[in-house]
Amino acid sequence: MLNPAVSERDHIEGPAGAAVTLVEYGDFECPHCGHAYPIVEELRRRMGKKMRFVFRNFPLSEMHPHAEKAAEAAEAAGEQNRFWEMHGMLFKHQNALDTPHLVMYASDLRLDQERFSHALSAHTFQTRVREDFMSGARSGVNGTPTFFINGARFDGSYDLESMLEALESAAE
């Protein structure tokens, strides 16, 4: 089961009263998460107001050397109310997640550059990223992407049809 439950601490897109909540533990540098990104976007489109989506950071730093910094960049963008825009930018540019590129994405999103760069260099959001990671570990996450539907781990295939069927079933 998901531990902790979804709360105001999370990055949430979709209505609070949605029939189903999809939580993803993901890594911005993980190719499997990159493959899942357009699937999740399509799920969000198809489910509409019936679903809310939550993303939690689970950077696998030993395998993906830029994953933790990318997660910190997403959180720094979130501080400026642009988490979801940065989330999309990072998944669309998975092969370019070094610091100069992260700063460029922040510029593209019209973030306060000084504030963003300071947050990255000072590791302002490192604790937040590690809290997400530890919550994933407590929830049984051992790889990315890992999904939870209404608090229960989804162990099926993360192809569009399988996930859509599971989400629609959970929404009923």
Side-chain angles (χ1 to χ4, degrees):
M1 293 300 291
L2 185 65
N3 179 19
V6 173
S7 72
E8 66 281 342
R9 176 200 178 281
D10 286 300
H11 297 289
I12 303 170
E13 212 169 57
V20 65
T21 299
L22 176 66
V23 176
E24 176 184 359
Y25 279 92
D27 171 328
F28 291 110
E29 198 171 7
C30 167
H32 302 291
C33 294
H35 175 74
Y37 172 73
I39 294 167
V40 171
E41 291 299 297
E42 181 63 16
L43 291 169
R44 289 168 60 187
R45 189 187 71 71
R46 289 196 190 184
M47 293 295 293
K49 294 185 185 302
K50 291 191 299 186
M51 183 181 99
R52 68 181 178 159
F53 177 62
V54 175
F55 184 86
R56 291 182 178 170
N57 297 293
F58 201 81
L60 301 172
S61 303
E62 289 183 15
M63 293 174 17
H64 306 128
H66 301 102
E68 190 158 341
K69 183 72 92 171
E72 290 180 34
E75 294 299 332
E79 180 186 41
Q80 297 184 44
N81 300 313
R82 303 299 297 271
F83 175 84
W84 292 109
E85 293 89 338
M86 183 63 83
H87 170 271
M89 184 81 72
L90 296 173
F91 276 126
K92 290 172 187 167
H93 301 283
Q94 276 195 304
N95 295 324
L97 298 177
D98 58 355
T99 301
H101 281 97
L102 297 176
V103 170
M104 183 180 77
Y105 305 148
S107 175
D108 291 349
L109 295 175
R110 302 190 194 295
L111 299 179
D112 177 323
Q113 289 295 290
E114 188 174 323
R115 199 165 135 201
F116 179 85
S117 294
H118 174 73
L120 277 189
S121 63
H123 298 283
T124 303
F125 294 99
Q126 186 175 52
T127 300
R128 163 84 189 231
V129 170
R130 289 191 177 154
E131 287 170 353
D132 273 5
F133 186 90
M134 293 310 297
S135 79
R138 282 192 305 276
S139 300
V141 175
N142 54 11
T144 55
T146 297
F147 295 98
F148 290 81
I149 297 175
N150 287 349
R153 183 173 163 151
F154 173 72
D155 287 321
S157 173
Y158 60 88
D159 64 272
L160 180 64
E161 294 76 23
S162 299
M163 290 194 74
L164 188 60
E165 182 180 313
L167 289 166
E168 287 177 340
S169 175
E172 291 174 359

Short mmCIF file of all heavy atoms in Angstrom, two decimals, residues 89 93 95-106 108:
data_model
loop_
_atom_site.label_atom_id
_atom_site.label_comp_id
_atom_site.label_asym_id
_atom_site.label_seq_id
_atom_site.Cartn_x
_atom_site.Cartn_y
_atom_site.Cartn_z
N MET A 89 8.94 18.90 -19.40
CA MET A 89 10.18 19.29 -20.08
C MET A 89 11.28 18.24 -19.82
O MET A 89 12.00 17.84 -20.74
CB MET A 89 10.63 20.66 -19.56
CG MET A 89 11.83 21.23 -20.24
SD MET A 89 11.48 22.02 -21.81
CE MET A 89 10.65 23.51 -21.31
N HIS A 93 13.12 15.71 -22.60
CA HIS A 93 14.55 15.92 -22.86
C HIS A 93 15.40 15.06 -21.93
O HIS A 93 16.39 15.52 -21.37
CB HIS A 93 14.91 17.40 -22.68
CG HIS A 93 14.14 18.31 -23.58
ND1 HIS A 93 14.44 18.45 -24.91
CD2 HIS A 93 13.07 19.10 -23.35
CE1 HIS A 93 13.58 19.30 -25.46
NE2 HIS A 93 12.74 19.70 -24.53
N ASN A 95 17.65 12.95 -22.32
CA ASN A 95 19.07 12.76 -22.62
C ASN A 95 19.89 14.02 -22.40
O ASN A 95 21.08 14.04 -22.73
CB ASN A 95 19.23 12.26 -24.06
CG ASN A 95 18.61 10.90 -24.24
OD1 ASN A 95 18.67 10.06 -23.35
ND2 ASN A 95 17.99 10.67 -25.38
N ALA A 96 19.28 15.05 -21.85
CA ALA A 96 19.99 16.32 -21.61
C ALA A 96 19.54 16.87 -20.25
O ALA A 96 18.77 17.82 -20.16
CB ALA A 96 19.70 17.31 -22.72
N LEU A 97 20.03 16.25 -19.18
CA LEU A 97 19.62 16.63 -17.83
C LEU A 97 20.77 17.16 -16.97
O LEU A 97 20.67 17.18 -15.75
CB LEU A 97 18.95 15.43 -17.12
CG LEU A 97 17.68 14.90 -17.78
CD1 LEU A 97 17.16 13.67 -17.04
CD2 LEU A 97 16.61 15.98 -17.85
N ASP A 98 21.84 17.60 -17.62
CA ASP A 98 22.93 18.20 -16.84
C ASP A 98 22.50 19.61 -16.41
O ASP A 98 21.50 20.15 -16.87
CB ASP A 98 24.23 18.22 -17.65
CG ASP A 98 24.10 18.98 -18.96
OD1 ASP A 98 23.00 19.42 -19.32
OD2 ASP A 98 25.12 19.13 -19.64
N THR A 99 23.26 20.20 -15.52
CA THR A 99 22.88 21.49 -14.94
C THR A 99 22.67 22.59 -15.99
O THR A 99 21.67 23.31 -15.91
CB THR A 99 23.91 21.93 -13.87
OG1 THR A 99 23.93 20.91 -12.84
CG2 THR A 99 23.53 23.26 -13.25
N PRO A 100 23.57 22.76 -16.98
CA PRO A 100 23.31 23.81 -17.97
C PRO A 100 21.96 23.65 -18.68
O PRO A 100 21.26 24.63 -18.94
CB PRO A 100 24.48 23.70 -18.95
CG PRO A 100 25.58 23.08 -18.15
CD PRO A 100 24.88 22.14 -17.20
N HIS A 101 21.59 22.40 -18.99
CA HIS A 101 20.30 22.17 -19.64
C HIS A 101 19.14 22.46 -18.68
O HIS A 101 18.12 23.03 -19.08
CB HIS A 101 20.20 20.74 -20.18
CG HIS A 101 20.92 20.56 -21.47
ND1 HIS A 101 22.19 20.04 -21.54
CD2 HIS A 101 20.55 20.86 -22.74
CE1 HIS A 101 22.57 20.02 -22.80
NE2 HIS A 101 21.59 20.50 -23.56
N LEU A 102 19.29 22.06 -17.42
CA LEU A 102 18.22 22.33 -16.44
C LEU A 102 17.98 23.83 -16.31
O LEU A 102 16.83 24.28 -16.27
CB LEU A 102 18.58 21.73 -15.07
CG LEU A 102 18.73 20.21 -15.03
CD1 LEU A 102 19.19 19.77 -13.65
CD2 LEU A 102 17.45 19.51 -15.44
N VAL A 103 19.06 24.60 -16.30
CA VAL A 103 18.94 26.06 -16.22
C VAL A 103 18.28 26.61 -17.49
O VAL A 103 17.44 27.51 -17.42
CB VAL A 103 20.33 26.70 -15.97
CG1 VAL A 103 20.28 28.21 -16.12
CG2 VAL A 103 20.84 26.31 -14.59
N MET A 104 18.62 26.03 -18.63
CA MET A 104 18.00 26.45 -19.89
C MET A 104 16.49 26.16 -19.87
O MET A 104 15.68 26.99 -20.29
CB MET A 104 18.66 25.73 -21.07
CG MET A 104 18.11 26.15 -22.43
SD MET A 104 18.91 25.27 -23.80
CE MET A 104 18.09 23.68 -23.68
N TYR A 105 16.09 24.99 -19.36
CA TYR A 105 14.67 24.67 -19.28
C TYR A 105 13.95 25.66 -18.37
O TYR A 105 12.83 26.08 -18.67
CB TYR A 105 14.44 23.24 -18.80
CG TYR A 105 15.16 22.19 -19.62
CD1 TYR A 105 15.63 21.02 -19.03
CD2 TYR A 105 15.38 22.36 -20.99
CE1 TYR A 105 16.29 20.06 -19.77
CE2 TYR A 105 16.04 21.40 -21.73
CZ TYR A 105 16.50 20.25 -21.12
OH TYR A 105 17.17 19.30 -21.85
N ALA A 106 14.59 26.00 -17.26
CA ALA A 106 14.01 26.99 -16.34
C ALA A 106 13.81 28.31 -17.06
O ALA A 106 12.78 28.97 -16.88
CB ALA A 106 14.90 27.16 -15.12
N ASP A 108 13.40 28.67 -20.33
CA ASP A 108 12.32 28.45 -21.29
C ASP A 108 10.95 28.56 -20.62
O ASP A 108 9.98 29.00 -21.24
CB ASP A 108 12.45 27.08 -21.96
CG ASP A 108 13.64 26.98 -22.90
OD1 ASP A 108 14.25 28.02 -23.21
OD2 ASP A 108 13.96 25.84 -23.31
#
